[in-house]
Amino acid sequence: MNHRRHPRRPPDRPRGPAMWSPLLLTLVIGGLAVSTPRDFSVSRLLPAAPALAASMWSVGGTVALGVVTLCVEIGLQVAYDERAAAFTAGALAAVTAAAAYAAHVRIQRERTLSRVRSVADAAQAVVLRPVPHRFGDIGIETLYLAAAEEARIGGDFFEAVDTPHGVRVLIGDVRGKGLSAVGVASAVTNCFREAAYDEADLARLARRLDTSMVRYSRTLTTPDAGEGFATAVLAQLRHGSDLVELLNCGHPPPLLLHRGGARSLVPAAASPPLNMAALMGADYLVETVRIGPGDRLLLYTDGVSETRDLTGAFFRVGDWAAGKEGVSDPRLLAMLHEQLLAFSHGGLDDDIAALLVSRGREYPEAEGASGATEVH
């Protein structure tokens, strides 16, 4: 799959040495109980070990550790005649029982989350299916990152298909994020995959997408279903031509990367977002730009341009993209990903999608292959 994902989500449970921390805690407390005066009663801290085990061990392992700590307490009582040993033993038994139940609840929640993630992965395969690296002389690289970590997918979407009318590209952003936006994104992308072959021009294609979203919204039962909309950019590149047709439906303008510069392709006239054409009473307008060999077109969602640093300043994607003419397509998106994380100090709170379209650019096959890995 050729879109990258950032491994922000921590593992479901600690790995490696951290897994042994409850047993290590037992040994440390036991050692302190042996090496300190009786008045300190360090052994009263032993219930902390099974309590810690509940957050990472199985129910059986948690109970087993509780038995071990109880044996340690009994051994200390026999060897050192510790005070309040009966109270500590009772506390150990109570905490172990509670920890075992907590471990059971945690495991059940992990299984539920795993099922939810499996559903989200299946939805992602439908909405964000792999985009080929190349369509003839046209190269495409993609980047995607969902804000809702448990969902793994959000309201951003993209697609690219090679049609009799040329290579057609779609990138968009549904109002909202997480699993609630998946249905709308799926309706738009599925309509695009079919209509891109049928409609001769981008304006008619945009109207088809608008109609599809209107019909889908009518099937929803939520109170704000009719208020949903999606911004999008449609692009059409014909093989052998250096002209690109663009239609911007209220979306952040693409960047044209040309000879080390980055020019924002702000539309001369606004086109309505999808599901808003009837309300705004506006038509969809197509504009044409020239993209020569070596030029690139960077399309992105507002999760990129609205990323903020700790002072609240927005990420200036145009300034960042300028001067990166010699960077390969896969590496450029990887650098964008890294820069967004560094700029926000890991605090990304919106879905992020970016799509890089190039014409006639070549890069080593080994480097291009790196963009085909999806990191979980």
Side-chain angles (χ1 to χ4, degrees):
M1 186 173 290
N2 73 325
H3 50 280
R4 295 176 176 268
R5 301 184 57 129
H6 174 62
R8 293 187 305 168
R9 186 185 305 106
D12 290 339
R13 62 185 68 180
R15 306 293 188 203
M19 284 293 291
W20 298 102
S21 57
L23 184 58
L24 178 61
L25 180 61
T26 302
L27 296 176
V28 169
I29 295 174
L32 290 174
V34 171
S35 60
T36 56
R38 291 175 52 196
D39 294 340
F40 283 93
S41 299
V42 179
S43 63
R44 293 186 181 182
L45 299 176
L46 282 171
L52 177 61
S55 66
M56 60 188 77
W57 287 10
S58 65
V59 175
T62 301
V63 172
L65 183 63
V67 173
V68 169
T69 56
L70 184 59
C71 292
V72 171
E73 175 59 26
I74 293 175
L76 291 172
Q77 168 64 19
V78 172
Y80 298 96
D81 191 25
E82 279 209 344
R83 298 176 180 178
F87 172 82
T88 304
L92 276 170
V95 170
T96 299
Y101 177 73
H104 169 75
V105 172
R106 189 204 81 241
I107 292 172
Q108 294 301 314
R109 289 180 176 175
E110 287 178 354
R111 289 173 179 171
T112 300
L113 180 58
S114 178
R115 288 193 292 268
V116 170
R117 288 176 176 172
S118 297
V119 172
D121 286 341
Q124 182 192 51
V126 173
V127 179
L128 298 177
R129 67 183 185 182
V131 175
H133 281 295
R134 304 198 70 81
F135 294 105
D137 61 334
I138 299 171
I140 297 179
E141 293 292 333
T142 59
L143 169 70
Y144 178 76
L145 180 65
E149 297 185 4
E150 293 79 7
R152 296 194 177 190
I153 189 169
D156 292 4
F157 56 89
F158 53 75
E159 183 59 285
V161 292
D162 194 359
T163 74
H165 315 289
V167 175
R168 287 181 163 178
V169 175
L170 168 71
I171 188 169
D173 182 6
V174 176
R175 176 177 176 263
K177 56 188 176 182
L179 289 176
S180 61
V182 174
V184 177
S186 178
V188 174
T189 53
N190 286 334
C191 178
F192 173 80
R193 289 162 186 160
E194 178 181 355
Y197 292 89
D198 301 334
E199 301 298 343
D201 62 84
L202 291 185
R204 290 178 58 87
L205 177 56
R207 281 191 285 272
R208 281 277 297 272
L209 297 181
D210 179 83
T211 300
S212 176
M213 190 167 175
V214 169
R215 291 172 178 170
Y216 179 82
S217 299
R218 289 173 180 170
T219 67
L220 302 178
T221 58
T222 55
D224 60 346
E227 302 175 5
F229 64 90
T231 63
V233 170
L234 292 165
Q236 177 173 283
L237 302 89
R238 300 184 187 275
H239 294 290
S241 172
D242 60 356
L243 297 180
V244 179
E245 296 179 41
L246 291 174
L247 194 160
N248 192 322
C249 304
H251 199 74
L255 291 176
L256 177 61
L257 310 184
H258 173 72
R259 295 184 179 179
R263 178 164 65 95
S264 181
L265 302 178
V266 180
S271 296
L274 304 179
N275 200 29
M276 299 287 287
L279 178 63
M280 297 178 63
D283 201 359
Y284 293 103
L285 303 176
V286 180
E287 298 182 358
T288 303
V289 297
R290 192 175 301 275
I291 175 171
D295 293 345
R296 291 181 283 190
L297 197 63
L298 178 61
L299 303 97
Y300 54 91
T301 58
D302 60 6
V304 175
S305 56
E306 294 181 3
T307 295
R308 297 173 182 261
D309 63 11
L310 296 180
T311 67
F314 289 110
F315 178 68
R316 300 174 66 88
V317 60
D319 293 345
W320 174 87
K324 294 181 172 57
E325 183 180 9
V327 180
S328 70
D329 294 357
R331 180 57 188 157
L332 183 65
L333 285 188
M335 291 173 61
L336 174 61
H337 190 177
E338 295 163 1
Q339 183 62 33
L340 289 172
L341 291 172
F343 186 81
S344 65
H345 295 269
L348 298 176
D349 58 1
D350 196 5
D351 305 326
I352 286 174
L355 194 149
L356 190 64
V357 181
S358 61
R359 183 188 296 280
R361 290 182 63 91
E362 298 292 341
Y363 48 84
E365 192 65 28
E367 186 177 2
S370 69
T373 57
E374 182 176 2
V375 183
H376 293 285

